[in-house]
Amino acid sequence: MQKPGTATPDRSDRFPARDRFAQGAQHIAGRLRHGTSGRTHTVVDPATGDEVLTYELAGAADVDAAVTAARAAFPGWAGATPGERSDALHRLAAVLADRAEEFARAESLQCGKPLKLTREFDVPGTIDNTAFFAGAARHLQGQSAGEYSGDHTSYVRREPIGVVGSIAPWNYPLQMAAWKILPAIAAGNTVVLKPAELTPLTSLLFAEAVTLAGIPDGVVNIVTGAGGEAGEHLVGHPDVAMTSFTGSTAVGKRVAGIATATVKRLHLELGGKAPFVVFDDADLEAAVHGAVAGALINTGQDCTAATRAYVQRPLYEAFVERTAALMESVRLGDPFAPGTDLGPLVSHTQRDRVAAVVDRARAYARVVTGGEPPEGDLKAGAYYRPTLIADAAQDSEVVQSEIFGPVLVVLPFDTDDEGIRLANDTPYGLAASAWSRDVYRANRATREIQAGCVWINDHIPIISEMPHGGHKASGFGKDMSAYSFEEYTQLKHVMFDNTAVARKDWHRTVFGDRP
Ligand code: NAD
């Protein structure tokens, strides 16, 4: 059984959201202001259900104001030298590092993440990403120049696109804001970001840090509004040149429709259902620890989380038994209490959604452990016990659909061919892992598993230098790494005539004869 931590009722020392955002929860042209939609949203601490902040949501007029600010800032920012943009991002990394504890507390409060996760993963990852793009800003590359026609010199300019409209989800609000904003501004674009309504706090703190770093007003704007209203208005806005969306595949399809109708460049980072394939020569102990960490990170609300463990028959029974035992040792508790491993889900709605999927699964599968909220002190929060499900069919809901909670389903397989086929048998293709000590087996898995990332003998780690993005219904385009510049820049072919003659040879194809 889980050992419940203690939920502390007093929130006052956690993060003073009401004081920090007394001026409103929209950051437009370098300052906070209130939204004008006429509707409010309440940020709730999912660990207790207590109110954290009630703010006025952005409406269409606020999105328009943010886009106007971003448009006005674009020529100056695009015209800054790479060195100037790099210096600004180095200053931003320093501001973020100075304020790391405040970011960690705000993120933990609004998401329910244990402080050890925000302190050791979300916040340092964001600072590292900022430092990476500070360097990468000076290395934007185009093709070398040349005389390809004989009569001309051609070269390629790599240019920013303009105003980028970005939309982010609630699972990693700070990191998603950083992944959207950093490559875009490093390349000279300006940004209007809409975070998820549930979790605006750290995107607003990030924009404040941008201002403190001396990045000009309007380069980064935050509109905190509802998806169907502010989000769709941003995607369809005629002055927005690109839509960069991270969220569910269902909403991504809708966003793609609106963006396509206005001929925008599109970058989609969508859902995942990562397979975790354990071959019979794997280190069982490593695979069990990897599965529990990979499935439960961020309470399973991670688009790359391990969700489907396929275990070759000789290891299957032992894997199920040991994974269940390790899951039962994970300590649920107050996200701010030392010793808490796992916090609540982001909201009671999300917890109930996860619980409903598991309850439906009881009709066709076996819940090995978990499958219910914890009792006791944690009852008021959006908690759910780590859950292992076995004996589900490959075409069942728990195997095919994104659950986005602390739920791992485990299935046996016999041959290597079957393991790889089952791993590929969902619409998604974001991330996957394979576990083996045989280099040929592992290498085959990296080639044949259809996913944007394949780990061998690990599951989850990400690094700023390497791209993150999906295959199949998990979307297209890359976050992080120098590859993300392919999304946030456009190429221009420049062609100089070298002949200086008035009547060029090719003109005869339009008028006259060969001279
Ligand atoms: P979601 O799709 O419900 O919402 C994402 C964002 O879209 C939010 O800001 C929301 O307000 C906005 N939105 C909703 N409807 C909209 C509309 N009609 N037009 C424009 N914007 C709209 O996703 P979520 O529940 O916030 O996040 C969880 C999902 O995000 C999961 O599916 C997860 O896999 C995915 N995700 C993917 C990645 C990745 O890198 N591929 C990373 C993190 C999360």
Side-chain angles (χ1 to χ4, degrees):
M1 285 294 290
Q2 287 82 21
K3 296 167 218 141
T6 47
T8 316
D10 181 8
R11 321 269 97 191
S12 59
D13 60 340
R14 300 196 161 195
F15 173 74
R18 288 179 207 164
D19 291 348
R20 293 294 265 104
F21 303 114
Q23 308 304 314
Q26 315 301 327
H27 186 105
I28 298 172
R31 67 178 185 85
L32 287 173
R33 53 171 92 170
H34 293 286
T36 62
S37 69
R39 288 184 300 112
T40 59
H41 183 85
T42 297
V43 178
V44 169
D45 174 356
T48 58
D50 292 346
E51 176 183 337
V52 169
L53 173 74
T54 296
Y55 66 94
E56 283 88 8
L57 286 162
D62 306 303
V63 173
D64 290 345
V67 172
T68 301
R71 237 188 131 189
F74 178 68
W77 185 246
T81 64
E84 287 165 343
R85 289 200 291 266
S86 170
D87 287 350
L89 289 172
H90 279 302
R91 292 194 300 273
L92 175 59
V95 175
L96 296 173
D98 274 355
R99 299 180 159 214
E101 182 63 12
E102 183 183 41
F103 275 95
R105 299 178 77 82
E107 194 78 330
S108 284
L109 183 60
Q110 67 179 352
C111 300
K113 296 168 192 262
L115 265 182
K116 67 177 176 182
L117 182 66
T118 55
R119 282 179 178 156
E120 294 175 34
F121 181 60
D122 299 75
V123 176
T126 298
I127 296 168
D128 186 68
N129 226 239
T130 310
F132 171 80
F133 280 107
R138 302 185 85 140
H139 294 279
L140 280 163
Q141 290 174 352
Q143 204 182 353
S144 62
E147 285 67 46
Y148 301 96
S149 78
D151 287 343
H152 306 84
T153 296
S154 284
Y155 65 89
V156 169
R157 291 173 55 84
R158 186 180 283 279
E159 298 182 341
I161 293 168
V163 177
V164 178
S166 296
I167 296 184
W170 46 253
N171 61 336
Y172 289 104
L174 174 60
Q175 294 202 81
M176 293 302 104
W179 289 13
K180 298 275 154 218
I181 291 170
L182 293 167
I185 68 173
N189 302 282
T190 57
V191 176
V192 177
L193 171 87
K194 194 202 86 59
E197 306 87 302
L198 293 181
T199 54
L201 305 184
T202 44
S203 305
L204 292 165
L205 292 179
F206 191 86
E208 183 187 54
V210 164
T211 303
L212 287 170
I215 294 174
D217 293 349
V219 171
V220 173
N221 307 273
I222 309 292
V223 288
T224 56
E229 189 181 352
E232 292 200 10
H233 192 65
L234 181 61
V235 177
H237 202 293
D239 292 334
V240 171
M242 170 177 173
T243 295
S244 177
F245 173 85
T246 299
S248 62
T249 298
V251 175
K253 286 180 185 169
R254 179 158 178 80
V255 163
I258 300 169
T260 305
T262 50
V263 195
K264 284 185 173 57
R265 180 174 294 218
L266 189 57
H267 174 194
L268 294 177
E269 296 281 358
L270 306 177
K273 187 76 184 173
F276 184 102
V277 183
V278 183
F279 293 102
D280 59 12
D281 67 303
D283 177 339
L284 181 63
E285 204 54 20
V288 165
H289 282 79
V292 174
L296 300 186
I297 185 163
N298 208 30
T299 318
Q301 303 158 114
D302 184 311
C303 51
T304 64
T307 58
R308 300 176 284 141
Y310 296 100
V311 183
Q312 210 153 16
R313 196 81 61 180
L315 296 186
Y316 180 74
E317 289 302 334
F319 181 91
V320 172
E321 193 183 309
R322 293 203 205 174
T323 300
L326 187 56
M327 279 187 165
E328 286 167 8
S329 74
V330 169
R331 299 163 298 176
L332 272 73
D334 175 359
F336 282 70
T340 290
D341 295 323
L342 201 71
L345 286 101
V346 75
S347 67
H348 290 74
T349 308
Q350 181 65 12
R351 192 270 310 270
D352 294 347
R353 225 181 59 79
V354 170
V357 176
V358 175
D359 288 344
R360 285 196 290 277
R362 288 181 212 283
Y364 59 79
R366 177 166 60 98
V367 176
V368 181
T369 187
E372 60 188 4
E375 294 293 325
D377 284 356
L378 304 177
K379 235 179 152 56
Y383 290 90
Y384 198 72
R385 288 179 54 205
T387 299
L388 185 67
I389 296 180
D391 304 336
Q394 173 67 15
D395 63 357
S396 63
E397 182 187 21
V398 279
V399 177
Q400 291 293 321
S401 307
E402 193 174 33
I403 301 174
F404 234 53
V407 180
L408 178 67
V409 53
V410 56
L411 298 93
F413 69 92
D414 290 306
T415 64
D416 290 16
D417 286 354
E418 185 191 9
I420 288 176
R421 181 178 58 73
L422 292 172
N424 286 333
D425 178 32
T426 74
Y428 297 108
L430 188 60
S433 65
W435 297 72
S436 170
R437 286 183 272 212
D438 177 334
V439 69
Y440 296 100
R441 257 178 163 174
N443 199 23
R444 176 182 174 196
T446 67
R447 288 194 309 275
E448 295 187 14
I449 294 180
Q450 300 155 351
C453 170
V454 179
W455 291 282
I456 298 297
N457 297 330
D458 207 344
H459 194 113
I460 289 299
I462 48 174
I463 40 174
S464 298
E465 290 82 355
M466 286 289 128
H468 168 90
H471 292 187
K472 296 161 68 180
S474 293
F476 46 80
K478 297 296 175 195
D479 284 324
M480 304 204 293
S481 82
Y483 293 98
S484 63
F485 286 140
E486 299 304 326
E487 320 305 327
Y488 294 105
T489 58
Q490 54 193 347
L491 300 181
K492 180 184 281 175
H493 171 208
V494 177
M495 201 173 199
F496 273 84
D497 170 59
N498 290 335
T499 63
V501 299
R503 190 156 175 203
K504 298 188 175 25
D505 187 44
W506 70 268
H507 290 174
R508 73 177 190 280
T509 60
V510 185
F511 53 83
D513 298 317
R514 184 180 288 277

